[in-house]
Amino acid sequence: GYRVRSGLQFGCELVLYADDPDRVHSDFCVHLVEGHLDWRTMQTLVRSMPDLHKTLILAQIKESVNNDDFIVKELAMATEHAPFRHKNAIKKGVGQQYKRRKFNKHAGR
Protein backbone atom coordinates (compact mmCIF):
# COMPACT_ATOMS: atom_id res chain seq x y z
CA GLY A 1 0.00 0.00 0.00
CA TYR A 2 0.87 3.66 -0.05
CA ARG A 3 1.29 6.20 2.69
CA VAL A 4 -1.01 9.14 2.14
CA ARG A 5 -0.07 12.70 3.07
CA SER A 6 -1.35 16.19 2.31
CA GLY A 7 -0.48 17.40 -1.19
CA LEU A 8 -1.03 21.08 -0.50
CA GLN A 9 2.59 22.02 -1.20
CA PHE A 10 2.28 20.42 -4.66
CA GLY A 11 -1.06 22.00 -5.60
CA CYS A 12 -3.17 18.88 -5.13
CA GLU A 13 -5.06 17.29 -2.28
CA LEU A 14 -2.93 14.20 -1.60
CA VAL A 15 0.48 12.69 -2.32
CA LEU A 16 1.27 8.98 -2.17
CA TYR A 17 4.52 7.54 -0.80
CA ALA A 18 5.58 3.94 -1.53
CA ASP A 19 7.69 3.90 1.65
CA ASP A 20 8.49 6.08 4.66
CA PRO A 21 8.25 9.76 3.62
CA ASP A 22 11.56 10.39 5.41
CA ARG A 23 13.28 7.93 3.05
CA VAL A 24 11.64 8.41 -0.35
CA HIS A 25 9.98 11.12 -2.40
CA SER A 26 6.34 10.73 -3.34
CA ASP A 27 5.61 9.40 -6.83
CA PHE A 28 1.97 10.41 -7.21
CA CYS A 29 -0.16 13.53 -6.72
CA VAL A 30 -3.89 12.94 -6.30
CA HIS A 31 -6.38 15.64 -7.24
CA LEU A 32 -9.94 15.04 -6.04
CA VAL A 33 -12.49 16.17 -8.60
CA GLU A 34 -15.79 17.49 -7.30
CA GLY A 35 -18.33 17.57 -10.10
CA HIS A 36 -16.84 19.22 -13.19
CA LEU A 37 -13.09 19.62 -13.73
CA ASP A 38 -12.34 22.83 -15.59
CA TRP A 39 -9.64 22.70 -18.24
CA ARG A 40 -7.50 25.41 -16.62
CA THR A 41 -7.11 23.42 -13.41
CA MET A 42 -6.31 20.26 -15.33
CA GLN A 43 -3.82 22.07 -17.60
CA THR A 44 -2.07 23.62 -14.59
CA LEU A 45 -1.78 20.28 -12.81
CA VAL A 46 -0.63 18.36 -15.90
CA ARG A 47 2.01 20.96 -16.77
CA SER A 48 3.44 21.07 -13.22
CA MET A 49 3.85 17.30 -12.74
CA PRO A 50 7.08 16.81 -14.78
CA ASP A 51 8.80 19.56 -12.76
CA LEU A 52 7.63 17.90 -9.55
CA HIS A 53 8.67 14.43 -10.78
CA LYS A 54 5.23 13.04 -10.06
CA THR A 55 2.42 11.28 -11.88
CA LEU A 56 -0.99 12.93 -11.59
CA ILE A 57 -4.02 10.90 -10.56
CA LEU A 58 -7.44 12.51 -10.98
CA ALA A 59 -10.01 10.88 -8.71
CA GLN A 60 -13.75 11.51 -8.63
CA ILE A 61 -15.69 10.24 -5.64
CA LYS A 62 -19.46 9.83 -5.79
CA GLU A 63 -22.00 8.34 -3.44
CA SER A 64 -23.58 5.12 -4.64
CA VAL A 65 -27.30 4.89 -5.33
CA ASN A 66 -28.04 3.31 -1.94
CA ASN A 67 -25.80 5.90 -0.14
CA ASP A 68 -24.03 3.13 1.79
CA ASP A 69 -20.86 3.13 -0.30
CA PHE A 70 -18.81 5.42 -2.47
CA ILE A 71 -17.76 4.97 -6.08
CA VAL A 72 -14.24 6.08 -6.96
CA LYS A 73 -13.40 6.79 -10.58
CA GLU A 74 -9.75 7.47 -11.23
CA LEU A 75 -7.63 8.48 -14.17
CA ALA A 76 -3.84 8.49 -14.10
CA MET A 77 -2.23 11.18 -16.21
CA ALA A 78 1.21 9.77 -17.00
CA THR A 79 4.04 12.24 -17.39
CA GLU A 80 7.67 11.84 -18.37
CA HIS A 81 8.32 11.02 -14.74
CA ALA A 82 6.03 8.00 -14.52
CA PRO A 83 8.00 5.72 -12.17
CA PHE A 84 7.26 2.69 -14.33
CA ARG A 85 8.32 4.33 -17.63
CA HIS A 86 11.73 5.92 -18.08
CA LYS A 87 13.65 6.93 -21.19
CA ASN A 88 17.03 6.59 -19.47
CA ALA A 89 18.87 3.30 -19.13
CA ILE A 90 18.59 3.46 -15.35
CA LYS A 91 15.08 2.45 -14.45
CA LYS A 92 13.50 3.34 -11.14
CA GLY A 93 10.38 1.66 -9.89
CA VAL A 94 7.68 3.09 -7.70
CA GLY A 95 9.19 4.28 -4.42
CA GLN A 96 12.74 4.33 -5.80
CA GLN A 97 13.24 8.11 -5.60
CA TYR A 98 15.37 7.96 -2.48
CA LYS A 99 16.13 11.13 -0.58
CA ARG A 100 19.74 12.09 -0.07
CA ARG A 101 20.97 11.48 3.42
CA LYS A 102 22.18 14.58 5.19
CA PHE A 103 25.89 14.35 5.93
CA ASN A 104 26.87 15.38 9.42
CA LYS A 105 30.55 16.34 9.40
CA HIS A 106 30.64 16.30 13.22
CA ALA A 107 29.34 12.73 13.53
CA GLY A 108 31.76 10.33 15.13
CA ARG A 109 33.57 12.96 17.19
Side-chain angles (χ1 to χ4, degrees), residues 1-5 7 10-18 26-34 37 41-50 52-61 72-84 94:
Y2 287 93
R3 296 175 186 193
V4 181
R5 299 290 189 269
F10 300 110
C12 58
E13 282 78 16
L14 305 168
V15 289
L16 305 179
Y17 292 87
S26 60
D27 288 309
F28 301 97
C29 280
V30 180
H31 178 70
L32 301 176
V33 179
E34 296 179 28
L37 177 64
T41 300
M42 186 167 66
Q43 182 72 359
T44 301
L45 289 167
V46 167
R47 294 189 93 181
S48 63
M49 291 303 118
L52 297 172
H53 302 288
K54 304 207 181 323
T55 298
L56 175 64
I57 298 174
L58 300 174
Q60 186 176 40
I61 302 171
V72 178
K73 295 180 181 181
E74 59 190 55
L75 172 65
M77 306 290 278
T79 64
E80 284 187 24
H81 160 66
F84 41 82
V94 173

Side-chain angles (χ1 to χ4, degrees), residues 59-99:
Q60 186 176 40
I61 302 171
K62 293 184 175 184
E63 286 188 50
S64 66
V65 177
N66 60 10
N67 294 332
D68 291 338
D69 296 319
F70 291 93
I71 300 170
V72 178
K73 295 180 181 181
E74 59 190 55
L75 172 65
M77 306 290 278
T79 64
E80 284 187 24
H81 160 66
F84 41 82
R85 181 179 62 98
H86 284 274
K87 294 179 182 177
N88 300 338
I90 299 172
K91 297 186 180 202
K92 292 183 180 180
V94 173
Q96 297 298 313
Q97 292 188 74
Y98 291 102
K99 292 185 177 180

